Amino acid sequence: QVDVVESGGGSVQAGASLRLSCAVSGLSFDRHAMAWFRRAPGKEREFVASIDSDGSRIYYADSVKGRFAISRDDARNTVYLQMNSLDPEDAAKYFCVADSLIWGSASPTDFNAGDYWGQGTQVTVSS
């Protein structure tokens, strides 16, 4: 059984920072690309960032480039999302996902409903 558990969400003021964590168990973590998505109320789920198995390929949504950073610690089976300069537009539920295939490219389109998703962690940003 694969478990994907996000943590680190919270309520912050605009301009603040948060670091989300995602702990994964039940698979060979270092072989799988990882990604973060988010869904705001009334909006579609959107891609935020992804990282391949060795960290050599990283992708970001245009809306977070320069403010967010994805990283992974294979020793801890954990992927992180450092979020800086948060804006009320960043308020959403953030989901972590592990690519069900190994050695994936981490392309945003690689991640779909058939992969391993967490339950999400809520981020609220007030102006």
Side-chain angles (χ1 to χ4, degrees):
Q1 177 183 340
V2 177
D3 288 318
V4 178
V5 181
E6 304 95 336
S7 61
S11 295
V12 297
Q13 297 276 340
S17 298
L18 277 176
R19 188 175 81 154
L20 305 184
S21 299
C22 171
V24 182
S25 60
L27 51 69
S28 299
F29 181 78
D30 61 356
R31 299 181 181 185
H32 293 262
M34 299 292 301
W36 289 94
F37 284 72
R38 67 187 182 187
R39 185 171 60 234
K43 294 187 177 180
E44 297 283 319
R45 185 176 65 196
E46 65 172 343
F47 168 80
V48 176
S50 61
I51 184 169
D52 72 351
S53 57
D54 66 3
S56 61
R57 283 175 285 195
I58 291 176
Y59 299 87
Y60 293 103
D62 288 344
S63 58
V64 307
K65 266 180 197 172
R67 299 187 299 121
F68 289 14
I70 189 171
S71 61
R72 62 189 297 154
D73 184 344
D74 290 347
R76 290 181 166 79
N77 285 9
T78 299
V79 63
Y80 302 98
L81 185 68
Q82 177 67 43
M83 305 187 295
N84 300 324
S85 302
L86 281 161
D87 184 271
E89 291 291 311
D90 296 315
K93 195 164 192 179
Y94 283 72
F95 298 89
C96 177
V97 54
D99 190 348
S100 58
L101 302 177
I102 60 172
W103 315 127
S105 70
S107 168
T109 56
D110 283 358
F111 299 92
N112 54 59
D115 294 317
Y116 303 112
W117 293 79
Q119 294 298 306
T121 185
Q122 186 69 42
V123 173
T124 304
V125 185
S126 56
S127 56

